[in-house]
């Protein structure tokens, strides 16, 4: 049996970074898709199973934690991020919005509120404006009264909430529902309708519409491509074919880098299997469609690195110019979130230095 130590894994990471990533990465990365939280964000009495991914980071993950990880894993790269909390009923949504505001300076780090369909328009407005957030994140699991597999985009985003987003020009981080994901016909219709009905809202379709395997993306970006307020992020996508298709078929100035940390800090890789996908995981954490390598048969680097490796191959194949790579990794997200701040708050908060709330 081939057992590997933490030192072995760290040595592998350093080799990968030097060989494949150092010369490729720009000096700045803006991660548009991060989960930031501390213990104040959760409903009293909340506990997660022993193999929950949050235990990888000790149950809290804020900007300083991300910067500490990046200092070792991405040496020489400056990190910015847009963060939101844990999208589940374990979260106290008011407390999570307060935390997001407290760790955001609207210059290097930005924050979003979590919302559920039951939240009134006034509540959504209050969470965003009082904490100077750039938008909000709904989630299929917040919809009650029907099986999660039957949830629709319209169920997740009531009209009253969207009217607030449209009025304020907010960003929405949308994890689309339904088993068919991006290829689902109802999703296809409602995604376009959402963008057209609320043209001042900036709709970010997370995970390239959750298209982790190639047949789930080919031919299914056309509708939102025509909507100037539609964006996609690449969070947890390491499939170079999916990424290449997005770079070739979606406006490059509306594609945002996202990693989905802290999940992306786990060792593993997403793989396509017979028009499906699975996470091969090198650590004993429950992660979606995860298959755990309990025998340590394979040497893994992190999901984060695997995403960067896939992006590097995809940008080479799609012929991105260096300036387009810089836009993807930083400028596209920076322009988007900075514009929300300028429209609503005038200028960044404080002096631009963020410290996690203790």
């Amino acid at each position: 049996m081939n057992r590997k130590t933490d030192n072995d894994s760290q040595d592998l990471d350093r080799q990968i970074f030097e060989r494949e990533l150092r010369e490729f990465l720009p000096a700045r990365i803006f991660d548009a898709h991060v989960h930031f939280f501390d213990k104040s964000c959760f409903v009293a009495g909340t506990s997660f199973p022993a193999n929950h991914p949050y235990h990888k980071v000790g149950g809290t993950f804020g900007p300083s934690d991300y910067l500490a990880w990046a200092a070792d894993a991405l040496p020489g790269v400056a990190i910015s991020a847009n963060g939101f909390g844990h999208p589940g009923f374990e979260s106290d949504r008011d407390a999570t919005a307060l935390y997001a505001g407290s760790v955001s300076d609207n210059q290097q780090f930005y924050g979003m509120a979590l919302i559920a369909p039951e939240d009134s328009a006034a509540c959504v407005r209050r969470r965003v404006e009082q904490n100077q957030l750039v938008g909000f994140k709904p989630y299929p699991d917040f919809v009650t009264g029907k099986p999660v597999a039957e949830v629709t985009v319209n169920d997740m985003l009531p009209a009253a909430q969207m009217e607030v987003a449209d009025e304020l020009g907010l960003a929405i981080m949308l994890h689309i529902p339904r088993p068919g994901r991006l290829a689902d016909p109802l999703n296809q219709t409602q995604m376009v309708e959402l963008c057209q009905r609320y043209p001042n809202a900036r709709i970010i379709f997370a995970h390239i519409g959750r298209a982790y395997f190639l047949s789930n993306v080919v031919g299914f970006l056309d509708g939102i491509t025509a909507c100037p307020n539609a964006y996609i992020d690449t969070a947890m996508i390491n499939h170079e074919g999916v990424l290449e298709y997005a770079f070739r078929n979606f406006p490059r100035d509306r594609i945002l880098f996202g990693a989905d940390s802290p999940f992306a800090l786990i060792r593993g890789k997403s793989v396509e299997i017979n028009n499906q996908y699975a996470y091969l995981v090198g650590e004993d954490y429950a992660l979606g469609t995860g298959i755990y390598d309990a025998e340590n048969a394979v040497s893994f680097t992190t999901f984060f690195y695997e995403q960067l490796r896939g992006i590097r191959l995809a940008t080479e194949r799609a012929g991105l110019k260096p300036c387009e790579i810089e836009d993807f990794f930083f400028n596209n997200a920076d322009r988007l979130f900075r514009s929300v701040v300028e429209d609503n708050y005038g200028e960044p908060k404080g002096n631009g230095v963020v410290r996690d709330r203790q």
Side-chain angles (χ1 to χ4, degrees):
M1 188 178 299
N2 185 15
R3 294 291 182 185
K4 297 159 183 84
T5 68
D6 288 341
N7 287 338
D8 292 335
S9 297
Q10 291 166 3
D11 288 343
L12 174 63
D13 292 344
R14 294 186 185 98
Q15 292 169 22
I16 291 171
F17 185 82
E18 293 298 332
R19 183 175 62 245
E20 302 180 34
L21 300 176
R22 183 181 288 278
E23 296 301 318
F24 167 67
L25 292 175
R28 299 181 296 179
I29 286 180
F30 194 127
D31 186 346
H33 190 127
V34 185
H35 297 271
F36 284 143
F37 52 88
D38 71 2
K39 294 179 181 178
S40 74
C41 297
F42 298 108
V43 174
T46 294
S47 63
F48 292 99
N51 65 342
H52 193 281
Y54 291 165
H55 294 300
K56 168 79 174 180
V57 292
T60 65
F61 191 69
S64 64
D65 300 304
Y66 198 167
L67 292 176
W69 175 85
D72 181 63
L74 302 170
V77 177
I79 297 294
S80 296
N82 170 59
F84 37 83
H86 167 71
F89 283 113
E90 298 90 350
S91 288
D92 179 319
R93 295 191 294 279
D94 283 331
T96 299
L98 180 64
Y99 175 78
S102 73
V103 299
S104 301
D105 61 1
N106 285 340
Q107 186 171 2
Q108 181 182 8
F109 291 98
Y110 298 77
M112 287 180 161
L114 298 174
I115 62 162
E118 66 194 59
D119 296 326
S120 68
C123 172
V124 171
R125 182 187 294 272
R126 172 180 54 79
R127 280 187 196 142
V128 170
E129 291 187 329
Q130 286 187 359
N131 298 293
Q132 294 192 22
L133 305 179
V134 292
F136 52 78
K137 178 179 176 61
Y139 201 66
D141 289 8
F142 284 138
V143 178
T144 58
K146 63 166 56 177
V148 69
E150 298 176 13
V151 169
T152 70
V153 169
N154 290 348
D155 292 332
M156 295 169 62
L157 289 165
Q161 295 178 354
M162 286 305 304
E163 288 165 4
V164 173
D166 195 57
E167 176 191 341
L168 301 178
L170 299 179
I172 296 168
M173 181 63 68
L174 181 54
H175 178 112
I176 62 172
R178 304 175 68 79
R181 304 160 185 256
L182 187 61
D184 182 276
L186 184 57
N187 277 346
Q188 284 280 304
T189 297
Q190 293 188 352
M191 289 163 65
V192 172
E193 289 177 347
L194 186 74
C195 293
Q196 293 177 340
R197 191 175 295 128
Y198 305 103
N200 294 320
R202 301 86 177 298
I203 317 297
I204 305 166
F205 295 99
H207 318 286
I208 314 183
R210 301 173 64 215
Y212 295 100
F213 53 95
L214 192 58
S215 65
N216 204 222
V217 70
V218 174
F220 298 116
L221 290 176
D222 295 352
I224 58 172
T225 292
C227 301
N229 60 330
Y231 297 76
I232 57 176
D233 81 27
T234 63
M236 283 297 275
I237 304 288
N238 61 232
H239 191 306
E240 59 266 25
V242 172
L243 292 160
E244 179 186 357
Y245 184 87
F247 286 129
R248 289 186 182 276
N249 293 278
F250 196 82
R252 292 175 182 175
D253 61 346
R254 291 192 269 131
I255 305 177
L256 314 179
F257 171 72
D260 209 357
S261 298
F263 302 102
L265 310 189
I266 294 170
R267 296 189 177 277
K269 180 179 174 64
S270 176
V271 297
E272 177 170 338
I273 305 171
N274 192 26
N275 292 325
Q276 305 162 91
Y277 82 98
Y279 294 126
L280 301 185
V281 187
E283 301 177 82
D284 190 12
Y285 295 110
L287 194 65
T289 56
I291 301 172
Y292 171 47
D293 176 20
E295 297 301 315
N296 297 121
V298 178
S299 295
F300 289 92
T301 187
T302 60
F303 281 100
F304 200 113
Y305 268 25
E306 292 294 0
Q307 292 177 67
L308 296 179
R309 297 169 103 179
I311 289 164
R312 182 179 65 84
L313 290 173
T315 57
E316 289 175 359
R317 295 174 184 177
L320 268 67
K321 301 173 183 177
C323 62
E324 292 176 315
I325 293 173
E326 290 184 6
D327 286 346
F328 162 70
F329 272 114
F330 185 83
N331 294 326
N332 294 346
D334 184 64
R335 279 193 295 264
L336 169 61
F337 296 117
R338 192 177 295 272
S339 68
V340 177
V341 170
E342 291 173 351
D343 290 346
N344 287 283
Y345 313 120
E347 59 185 17
K349 295 183 284 187
N351 60 4
V353 176
V354 177
R355 296 179 175 84
D356 293 351
R357 192 178 64 185
Q358 300 298 316

